[in-house]
């Protein structure tokens, strides 16, 4: 009889998002003989599937690619997926009996905040409940949490949060010391050595006759790529020659592609979609720009810091913490005007960014991969 802790982890898919990447990085760095892990996906899909260690059991509710279009022929399969998932969410005993084969778990772990209710409503009442919160819940795109909704997260035995801002939000709502102790602030596991290694290979053929701004992320409205393209057009109209490169895919990709065409900036901006290794392009670009409307703790900034990029970032959750209040990069107002001012400064006065480059040369990451993984392992072991 195995005495390994049995853990169920839930996430939607393993598409190319920050939380998905962080989860896979964590799984790859776990000791393989210590736990018995089942990973349950709503959709067996995504670029990171191939990176899940072979000793982890992967279960899924649906299989196939994520459908991001509204084509008529896709409607039946989209409707089936939604109804099927809703039935299993409403009657979780069916899920545990038929998909998970009646297995009993010591820990049930929501890898993103969207699986809060699925884990809290698990029929396995004796399991310890754990959640990993990557977003600023007060500003999420689909669901702005009221205080009452927010407080439901205290139903977990432990919540891992990734920034001081999110930690403070929880502390403000905690009603006693016991609730405060349920919140753990841990940096996301990030493999900086892998980033540096991958940045050395050949990337896209990028011309370098004009300044290049790069932005990387899942193409959701949250990421503000629409704002970035409108600012790009405005600066071009004012005579500032430059190019913009956006790497990523997501349900808003076609809308951003259409906006690019409508603005007439297809020659000066590129949307390459998802790229397995964006780091060579990161390295070649002159500036990294974060145009997000909101974040939890944008791990992509630590990737830009690792590659010593000149950074412009909107003032969203996590940014002041990561850029040390503007010591390591330019923090701009969270608006289209803020992005415009930041990019204009980069084009008009590039020498002003040398101060950030000098600071980055001396900078040491406030965490390392091993510490982050070990901190989460300790939580799991203590539950």
């Amino acid at each position: 009889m195995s005495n390994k802790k049995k853990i169920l982890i839930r996430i939607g898919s393993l598409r190319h998002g920050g939380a998905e990447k962080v989860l896979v990085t964590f799984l790859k760095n776990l000791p393989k003989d210590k736990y018995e892990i089942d990973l349950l996906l709503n959709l067996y899909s995504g670029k990171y599937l191939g990176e899940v260690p072979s000793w982890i059991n992967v279960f899924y509710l649906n299989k196939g690619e994520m459908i991001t279009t509204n084509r008529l022929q896709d409607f039946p399969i989209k409707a089936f997926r939604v109804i099927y998932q809703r039935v299993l969410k409403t009657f979780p005993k069916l899920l545990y009996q038929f998909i998970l084969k009646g297995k009993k778990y010591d820990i049930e772990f929501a890898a993103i905040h969207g699986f809060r209710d699925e884990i809290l409503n698990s029929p396995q009442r004796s399991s310890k409940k754990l959640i990993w919160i990557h977003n600023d819940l007060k500003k999420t795109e689909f669901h702005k949490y009221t205080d009452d909704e927010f407080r439901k997260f205290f139903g977990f035995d432990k919540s891992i949060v990734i920034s001081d801002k999110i930690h403070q939000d929880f502390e403000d709502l905690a009603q006693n010391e016991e609730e405060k102790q349920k919140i753990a602030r841990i940096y996301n596991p990030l493999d900086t050595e892998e980033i540096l290694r991958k940045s050395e290979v050949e990337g896209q053929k990028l011309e370098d006759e004009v300044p290049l701004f790069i932005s990387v992320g899942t193409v959701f409205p949250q990421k503000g790529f629409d704002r970035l393209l409108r600012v790009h057009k405005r600066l071009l109209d004012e005579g500032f020659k430059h190019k913009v490169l956006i790497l990523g895919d997501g349900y808003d990709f076609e809308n951003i592609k259409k906006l690019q065409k409508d603005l007439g900036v297809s020659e000066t901006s590129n949307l390459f979609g998802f790229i397995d290794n964006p780091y060579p392009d990161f390295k070649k670009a002159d500036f990294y720009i974060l145009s997000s409307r909101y974040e939890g703790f944008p791990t992509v900034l630590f990737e830009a810091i690792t590659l010593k990029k000149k950074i412009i970032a909107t003032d969203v959750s996590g940014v002041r913490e990561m850029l040390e209040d503007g010591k390591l990069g330019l923090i701009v107002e969270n608006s289209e005007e803020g992005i415009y001012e930041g990019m204009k400064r980069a084009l008009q006065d590039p020498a002003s960014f040398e101060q950030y480059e000098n600071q980055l040369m001396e900078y040491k990451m406030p965490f390392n991969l091993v510490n982050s993984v070990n901190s989460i392992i300790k939580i799991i072991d203590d539950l």
Side-chain angles (χ1 to χ4, degrees), residues 78-259:
K78 276 175 88 171
F80 171 78
R81 286 176 180 176
V82 169
I83 292 165
Y84 181 53
Q85 286 171 203
R86 197 166 289 159
V87 167
L88 292 176
K89 185 174 178 177
T90 308
F91 304 102
K93 283 184 179 176
L94 296 175
L95 169 68
Y96 282 74
Q97 185 177 342
F98 295 107
I99 307 285
L100 298 172
K101 317 294 185 196
K103 191 166 173 183
K104 293 281 186 281
Y105 296 100
D106 300 300
I107 294 172
E108 295 184 81
F109 186 1
I112 54 173
H113 71 269
F115 280 82
R116 178 195 70 186
D117 296 345
E118 283 86 340
I119 296 296
L120 289 182
N121 295 334
S122 161
Q124 298 195 10
R125 307 316 297 167
S126 62
S127 69
K128 297 294 185 182
K129 308 294 194 287
L130 177 61
I131 191 165
W132 205 345
I133 298 170
H134 298 269
N135 267 62
D136 182 347
L137 299 179
K138 299 213 163 172
K139 291 187 179 162
T140 58
E141 191 175 327
F142 298 114
H143 191 148
K144 291 187 173 50
Y145 288 84
T146 63
D147 285 357
D148 286 345
E149 279 278 295
F150 209 113
R151 278 201 47 77
K152 289 181 184 175
F153 288 94
F154 288 104
F156 284 85
D157 295 285
K158 206 81 174 181
S159 294
I160 299 168
V161 300
I162 61 171
S163 78
D164 287 341
K165 160 73 167 64
I166 304 171
H167 196 189
Q168 190 59 55
D169 286 343
F170 273 92
E171 291 233 315
D172 290 346
L173 279 175
Q175 292 178 348
N176 51 51
E177 195 56 37
E178 185 187 346
E179 286 190 344
K180 286 183 180 179
Q181 294 306 313
K182 288 184 169 189
I183 314 304
R185 160 73 173 85
I186 299 174
Y187 279 112
N188 273 338
L190 185 70
D191 194 337
T192 50
E193 287 179 17
E194 182 185 53
I195 290 166
L196 290 168
R197 189 175 66 250
K198 284 185 169 181
S199 74
E200 296 300 323
V201 304
E202 191 62 37
Q204 313 292 324
K205 294 281 182 275
L206 303 175
E207 299 136 359
D208 54 7
E209 75 279 6
V210 296
L212 176 65
F213 295 83
I214 190 170
S215 199
V216 181
T218 310
V219 186
F220 291 167
Q222 168 194 346
K223 300 298 180 183
F225 295 137
D226 57 323
R227 306 198 291 188
L228 177 55
L229 286 182
R230 282 193 291 269
V231 167
H232 170 52
K233 166 69 171 166
R234 184 175 165 189
L235 288 165
L236 288 174
D237 288 347
E238 291 176 12
F240 293 101
K241 288 187 166 60
H242 67 290
K243 289 196 171 179
V244 167
L245 174 62
I246 296 171
L247 302 182
D249 201 355
Y251 71 76
D252 211 32
F253 188 84
E254 291 307 317
N255 290 334
I256 297 298
K257 201 82 175 148
K258 181 178 183 303
L259 178 64

Side-chain angles (χ1 to χ4, degrees), residues 291-308:
S291 55
S292 296
R293 290 180 164 90
Y294 64 89
E295 287 285 349
F297 199 70
T299 306
V300 70
L301 276 195
F302 270 144
E303 296 176 342
I305 288 168
T306 299
L307 294 170
K308 313 294 185 198

Side-chain angles (χ1 to χ4, degrees), residues 276-288:
D276 279 319
N277 179 12
Y279 303 120
D281 301 326
F282 246 106
K283 199 172 172 186
K284 283 182 193 169
D286 299 288
F287 298 92
Y288 183 83

